[in-house]
Amino acid sequence: MSVQVRVSRVTAQDVRRRKSGEPIVSLTAYTAPMAALVDEVADFILVGDSLGMVVYGLDSTVPVTLDMMILHGQAVMRATRKALIVVDMPFGSYEESREQALRNAMRILKETGCGAVKLEGGLRMAETVRFLVERGVPVMGHVGLTPQAVNTLGGFKAQGRERAEWPAILADAEAISEAGAFSLVVEAVAEPLAAEITKRVAIPTIGIGASAACDGQILVLDDMLGLTGRVPKFVKSYGSLAGQVREAVSAYAEEVKARRFPGPEHVYAVKGE
Ligand code: KIV
């Protein structure tokens, strides 16, 4: 008799219920091996469009396509069992109309099997968020620094450093929460503003460069592991894997140059000799 042990995944509703509760742990992952490691600890894993910069060496997330997001979403889904998987909607895949957003969000859900999508923007996207949620698409919002708007923001700049900017950012956060999003990424905003957003919205806030005042935190995995070159100022280092990769690659190169077989010596030995 076979016994099936089914581990149920965290759902968007589980995350929603964590408002003001145990802090929510999340990280990005784009590939199967990394996702499998992160799955052991994360409540949700974001297949972020930051993959454009981290994996593909692009200058921004603007050129990232829906097909890229779907391929990486599929890889992360295959390697994980427990965490909620959230896939970013890339620039150009949702802003044109509510219908375009729904069509592409449904492609992401159907083709990856993930549990939710994330999109950037506040007030201007609230109607779209409501349209998606009412039709069965769990949506995570993203306000503050919204990297897809790099060309209109004039760079990756912290938001809300001036108190005069606060009302607009607060209005963005409240609009996305009221539209039915299950949680909200708050990126690169001053601590008192993050605290005020967290107090005002009914859904969990997930901070990135937005202090510990949020209901949970997210970091780009490769940044916190020390694998990427240009790391934002707010990222604390939890490792320096680039150094270890360099050492391993150099050790391998030395073996090759010394004409030593780069593996256990016996592997290709003829049997009995
Ligand atoms: O794309 C991404 O990795 C993100 C995080 C920075 C929140 O949106």
Side-chain angles (χ1 to χ4, degrees):
M1 191 181 80
S2 77
V3 180
Q4 285 195 337
V5 183
R6 189 179 271 235
V7 182
S8 59
R9 276 188 192 270
V10 176
T11 65
Q13 282 314 307
D14 294 332
V15 171
R16 168 73 185 78
R17 281 191 284 272
R18 296 269 290 274
K19 176 73 185 172
S20 308
E22 189 193 347
I24 298 159
V25 177
S26 60
L27 283 161
T28 64
Y30 321 112
T31 62
M34 286 300 199
L37 295 174
V38 173
D39 193 39
E40 293 168 19
V41 299
D43 295 304
F44 76 84
I45 296 176
L46 173 68
V47 184
D49 61 352
S50 51
L51 64 81
M53 300 162 86
V54 176
V55 177
Y56 291 93
L58 298 165
D59 285 336
S60 77
T61 57
V62 170
V64 173
T65 66
L66 191 61
D67 287 341
M68 286 160 83
M69 296 310 303
I70 288 173
L71 278 176
H72 286 273
Q74 289 169 339
V76 168
M77 279 299 294
R78 278 195 288 269
T80 55
R81 294 283 170 273
K82 184 190 118 292
L84 167 69
I85 307 302
V86 182
V87 175
D88 250 339
M89 298 198 71
F91 183 64
S93 71
Y94 61 94
E95 303 89 333
E96 196 179 308
S97 66
R98 307 179 310 179
E99 290 74 15
Q100 181 213 24
L102 183 63
R103 198 166 46 250
N104 289 328
M106 284 186 167
R107 254 198 82 191
I108 292 175
L109 291 191
K110 278 174 184 283
E111 293 180 32
T112 69
C114 73
V117 298
K118 175 167 84 60
L119 55 81
E120 296 182 7
L123 264 174
R124 69 184 169 84
M125 293 314 304
E127 198 194 324
T128 298
V129 170
R130 188 180 309 281
F131 192 74
L132 265 53
V133 174
E134 283 172 353
R135 284 156 184 79
V137 180
V139 179
M140 177 178 283
H142 186 155
V143 299
L145 171 59
T146 48
Q148 292 177 8
V150 61
N151 291 317
T152 45
L153 291 175
F156 298 108
K157 294 180 192 156
Q159 305 292 300
R161 301 289 293 277
E162 310 276 344
R163 283 199 180 250
E165 296 169 25
W166 287 23
I169 299 172
L170 283 164
D172 280 343
E174 285 177 318
I176 294 300
S177 172
E178 281 157 19
F182 71 93
S183 63
L184 183 66
V185 169
V186 179
E187 180 164 358
V189 304
E191 176 165 10
L193 176 56
E196 188 59 26
I197 294 172
T198 302
K199 195 171 89 189
R200 285 208 202 175
V201 300
I203 55 176
T205 54
I206 311 295
I208 173 159
S211 84
C214 299
D215 297 300
Q217 298 291 327
I218 187 162
L219 281 179
V220 170
L221 179 66
D222 301 61
D223 286 348
M224 62 89 110
L225 291 178
L227 271 169
T228 43
R230 281 180 308 173
V231 177
K233 273 193 290 208
F234 57 75
V235 177
K236 182 170 165 189
S237 170
Y238 290 85
S240 53
L241 295 199
Q244 282 176 256
V245 172
R246 254 186 230 111
E247 270 173 36
V249 169
S250 302
Y252 165 74
E254 271 170 36
E255 299 260 80
V256 172
K257 286 180 191 160
R259 295 191 187 282
R260 278 199 295 269
F261 180 68
E265 301 292 342
H266 63 277
V267 171
Y268 293 128
V270 176
K271 275 193 183 150
E273 289 182 11

